[in-house]
Amino acid sequence: MPEITSIIRSKRDGFELTGSEIDWVIEAFTHGIVADEQMAALAMAIYFRGMSRTETSRWTTAMIDSGRRLDFTGLGLRTVDKHSTGGVGDKITLPLAPLVAACGAAVPQLSGRGLGHTGGTLDKLESIPGWRADLSTAEMAEILTDPDVGAVVCAAGADLAPADRKLYALRDVTGTVESIPLIASSIMSKKIAEGTGALVLDVKVGSGAFMKELGEARELARTMVELGTDAGLITTALLTRMDAPLGRTAGNALEVREAVEVLAGGGPDDVVELTLALARDMLAAAGVDDLDPADRLRDGSAMDRWRSMIVAQGGDPDAPLPTAHHTETLCADADGVLVGLDAMAVGLSAWRLGAGRTHQSSAVQAGAGVELHVTPGDSVRAGQPIATLHTDTPQILPAALTALRDGVRIGTEAPQRRPLVIERITD
């Protein structure tokens, strides 16, 4: 039987861990045989020494094997999922899942709740009256095989990659979150365990993203694509910009409203652009290459799928969305052009207003957030509204206004518009 201190020393000294060592340490940690402080020491050694592709792949497999793996192959469906590394105003899953389903691929998406300045898909959907995130595997299968639905967005069960849940909590308090092998294996262990046949990754890069620099984002994307490929999963990644928020809203109910606008054939150009880019990659990965998803936005079939998907999970797509009780407007302090609207500043403001949480157990305000009236490149006049802040806790408005004001830059020349998609990565 391996001995944990020798494994720690081996990685500390730059040696590659064997498959049997990795299998044992993940299983032993999951069952409490390896203590938290020992696993923290190993995580720190990995942080400094890294892991090879072989090690990272084996580590990911061991985390998957710590729990249950879903299997939808018996349903006879072409399944494909999308994962985003998180950003501000990133509501893309909401129109994307029903759009891809309307094109003929099934979408089994396990999503999470927000933490800090990035919003969570489940928080957004839970602002819809009656909608529920917790579904059994049988319920997921029923929704996926329903010819009027074909897409499900729900919470991951506690038995999916439990080793990752335990390790992530430890990394969060030991300064080892930023390790790319550990980030990649954390994300991919859950995505592979959910049983999808193909996966498209949206790896954000910029001020409002977890990865601020292009090189780091590219390395993370490549690592995750390799892990998917090694697991037999068709996997691609798009590197996308996150210097400014996506769309004109950051919040929960606010973002649902904007997603519905996209499904109705409207909505902000950038949200439509990224939704279609990801949809095309998802359909290609699922082997559906004879349809243009833009047609499904135009003909209303994506909206029909959205409504059916919400109803299938107990929600009422016609119910009024929650609204906050208090608002405050941020106005331009000079004439000019909105040169920059920093995504991190908008995310921090939305978080302070109550749209996000500081701990996973914290509650969020469904109606809280930031509604933008202009976007970078727009001309503005002094006194013109830049954004409206929404909250149920008015005492926090001054701090939220300060955070947002720090991210607004007004100049004289409009910034050059760049495509949202920077690069596409395959193995």
Side-chain angles (χ1 to χ4, degrees):
M1 178 182 294
E3 205 270 322
I4 184 60
T5 53
S6 65
I7 293 174
I8 295 169
R9 288 193 201 98
S10 181
K11 178 48 63 180
R12 180 199 67 189
D13 295 340
F15 293 101
E16 186 166 320
L17 301 180
T18 67
S20 59
E21 287 174 328
I22 291 171
D23 292 346
W24 177 83
V25 79
I26 294 296
E27 182 179 6
F29 175 63
T30 304
H31 293 94
I33 297 168
V34 169
D36 283 358
E37 59 268 25
Q38 294 171 316
M39 194 60 159
L42 180 57
M44 188 62 75
I46 292 170
Y47 175 86
F48 283 112
R49 291 294 191 172
M51 286 200 288
S52 68
R53 177 171 178 169
T54 300
E55 284 178 290
T56 309
S57 181
R58 187 64 171 257
W59 187 277
T60 304
T61 300
M63 291 204 295
I64 295 168
D65 291 343
S66 71
R68 185 169 61 105
R69 188 190 297 230
L70 303 182
D71 185 1
F72 295 112
T73 55
L75 301 180
L77 301 170
R78 293 177 290 190
T79 55
V80 60
D81 186 16
K82 183 271 297 185
H83 176 80
S84 168
T85 56
V88 178
D90 186 8
K91 57 196 67 74
I92 301 299
T93 290
L94 278 62
L96 180 63
L99 173 59
V100 172
C103 294
V107 184
Q109 178 146 349
L110 301 182
S111 294
R113 292 180 171 82
L115 186 64
H117 77 281
T118 59
T121 298
L122 299 184
D123 296 324
K124 296 165 191 176
L125 287 167
E126 284 176 336
S127 68
I128 300 172
W131 188 89
R132 61 189 181 96
D134 296 317
L135 301 177
S136 68
T137 304
E139 287 174 314
M140 289 181 65
E142 182 180 357
I143 294 171
L144 289 172
T145 53
D146 187 327
D148 294 324
V149 190
V152 60
V153 181
C154 61
D159 56 354
L160 240 65
D164 173 65
R165 186 174 293 103
K166 188 175 181 182
L167 178 57
Y168 186 87
L170 187 64
R171 289 168 52 217
D172 194 38
V173 296
T174 57
T176 53
V177 169
E178 294 84 358
S179 164
I180 284 181
L182 295 179
I183 295 169
S185 60
S186 174
I187 292 170
M188 294 301 292
S189 62
K190 296 188 288 289
K191 284 296 170 183
I192 295 167
E194 78 175 22
T196 187
L199 177 65
V200 175
L201 299 157
D202 179 5
V203 180
K204 306 290 189 189
V205 56
S207 69
F210 181 68
M211 292 295 179
K212 312 295 184 188
E213 302 297 330
L214 181 59
E216 291 179 331
R218 185 180 286 121
E219 183 182 355
L220 175 60
R222 285 177 176 162
T223 302
M224 291 194 292
V225 168
E226 289 171 355
L227 290 175
T229 300
D230 291 347
L233 188 67
I234 298 169
T235 311
T236 61
L238 299 183
L239 296 180
T240 66
R241 301 185 194 281
M242 183 38 67
D243 290 311
L246 275 167
R248 291 177 175 257
T249 58
N252 295 310
L254 291 171
E255 292 192 44
V256 172
R257 184 190 70 195
E258 192 167 75
V260 172
E261 291 173 1
V262 172
L263 289 162
D269 290 344
D270 58 347
V271 178
V272 175
E273 176 189 339
L274 187 53
T275 298
L276 290 174
L278 289 165
R280 290 178 178 123
D281 261 44
M282 290 173 71
L283 292 170
V288 181
D289 53 10
D290 56 346
L291 292 172
D292 184 355
D295 293 338
R296 295 297 181 262
L297 287 180
R298 283 190 289 265
D299 67 17
S301 57
M303 176 66 87
D304 292 340
R305 294 289 181 137
W306 161 264
R307 293 176 61 84
S308 298
M309 184 180 80
I310 297 304
V311 170
Q313 294 183 232
D316 180 356
D318 295 317
L321 292 167
T323 57
H325 293 97
H326 303 275
T327 62
E328 186 81 24
T329 301
L330 175 66
C331 296
D333 57 8
D335 294 349
V337 175
L338 186 64
V339 175
L341 187 60
D342 184 66
M344 177 62 80
V346 175
L348 287 173
S349 181
W351 169 66
R352 288 178 176 176
L353 292 165
R357 53 171 63 83
T358 53
H359 303 286
Q360 288 289 3
S361 58
S362 304
V364 296
Q365 297 177 27
V370 177
E371 182 180 11
L372 303 169
H373 304 302
V374 292
T375 56
D378 291 347
S379 297
V380 297
R381 293 283 189 183
Q384 177 181 338
I386 297 289
T388 300
L389 285 66
H390 301 251
T391 188
D392 289 331
T393 49
Q395 64 271 21
I396 205 66
L397 281 167
L401 276 168
T402 297
L404 184 56
R405 190 178 288 111
D406 288 344
V408 174
R409 290 190 297 118
I410 296 175
T412 58
E413 294 186 11
Q416 181 180 5
R417 190 187 181 282
R418 297 175 297 175
L420 279 173
V421 178
I422 302 169
E423 187 177 330
R424 185 174 183 270
I425 294 176
T426 59
D427 191 27

